[in-house]
Amino acid sequence: FPTRRSSDLKYQIDSIQSWPSFEHDGSIYSLSHLDAHEITYKGKKQDYKFVVTYGLHCFAKDATPYNIPLVYEDGREQITICMERYEASKQLRSILANLPNVLLYHTAAEKYFTLHMMNSATGQMEPYKVCIAFYKEKRLLRMHILSAFFVRTGPGAPDVPIPNKSVSLFKVALDTSRIPRNTPGPKEANNQKK
């Protein structure tokens, strides 16, 4: 894979900010839609600006029917590219823009939500689950998309209720803004190659 250029680094953060493209069967597949970016959510009392980064699990997973014979790596792990996840990942930015209008569910490690969207691999509307770590890094409010996938088992899958309690984006944003400055973020977000 190409090496990272210093011009690719927009933010002083520990996550990959620009994923190199990959090649398969003579075609180049861009991952520029997963470049780090800022998003601002306008609240009634306060606006919240987050720096958003994306993890390897947004476009890779081992042992799926949609894998191609290509392993991709970040600074933490090596995983096979999943074309179903890759195609769906192109919708993530527009999905995140709508975050104030969805309920987030809380687990110990992350917040997540599901929505129904078209799966281009199956031609069906299916529940799509997006898992997000909210944290603070060097005074920046951060969202790291840990993973995003069509959910077929467990909470959020068809006919499986979500047991976790829901919370609004603005409650999460307020809580995140109150995190002390030197609190470490999730290990998954520290994914740059050393």
Side-chain angles (χ1 to χ4, degrees):
F1 292 107
T3 54
R4 195 176 62 233
R5 300 176 306 276
S6 60
S7 62
D8 291 340
L9 302 178
K10 292 206 282 210
Y11 308 100
Q12 295 295 314
I13 56 176
D14 291 331
S15 297
I16 289 176
Q17 296 182 51
S18 181
W19 294 93
S21 301
F22 62 91
E23 188 175 341
H24 175 64
D25 274 351
S27 295
I28 303 281
Y29 293 86
S30 172
L31 290 166
S32 62
H33 59 282
L34 300 177
D35 285 354
H37 61 96
E38 292 178 5
I39 191 164
T40 300
Y41 297 108
K42 298 197 174 299
K44 289 181 182 133
K45 295 180 182 158
Q46 185 178 351
D47 295 348
Y48 296 95
K49 180 166 76 174
F50 285 89
V51 173
V52 182
T53 52
Y54 300 86
L56 185 57
H57 291 263
C58 292
F59 62 92
K61 177 166 176 57
D62 290 330
T64 79
Y66 306 102
N67 285 127
I68 58 173
L70 185 61
V71 172
Y72 202 104
E73 65 180 288
D74 63 8
R76 300 185 66 248
E77 57 190 335
Q78 299 179 329
I79 309 177
T80 311
I81 290 182
C82 170
M83 292 308 289
E84 178 188 54
R85 286 189 180 205
Y86 168 77
E87 288 298 331
S89 74
K90 295 174 185 176
Q91 306 302 317
L92 281 168
R93 281 188 189 222
S94 59
I95 290 169
L96 292 177
N98 195 39
L99 212 49
N101 302 318
V102 301
L103 290 174
L104 296 169
Y105 296 94
H106 181 78
T107 67
E110 65 191 14
K111 310 288 187 286
Y112 69 91
F113 64 92
T114 61
L115 59 107
H116 278 76
M117 74 177 214
M118 181 59 69
N119 181 343
S120 62
T122 65
Q124 303 290 314
M125 289 294 284
E126 294 181 33
Y128 187 64
K129 185 173 186 176
V130 180
C131 304
I132 308 172
F134 290 87
Y135 61 104
K136 212 179 206 172
E137 185 175 10
K138 300 181 179 119
R139 294 197 178 108
L140 296 170
L141 293 181
R142 293 275 285 109
M143 288 169 56
H144 183 73
I145 312 308
L146 298 161
S147 130
F149 54 95
F150 288 101
V151 59
R152 298 190 170 97
T153 60
D159 304 320
V160 180
I162 294 176
N164 314 85
K165 73 179 183 102
S166 65
V167 62
S168 79
L169 168 70
F170 292 105
K171 168 79 171 110
V172 173
L174 179 63
D175 291 349
T176 304
S177 71
R178 293 177 172 165
I179 294 173
R181 223 174 96 199
N182 295 323
T183 304
K187 65 184 184 311
E188 295 87 353
N190 188 2
N191 62 1
Q192 286 186 18
K193 292 184 182 178
K194 303 294 183 228

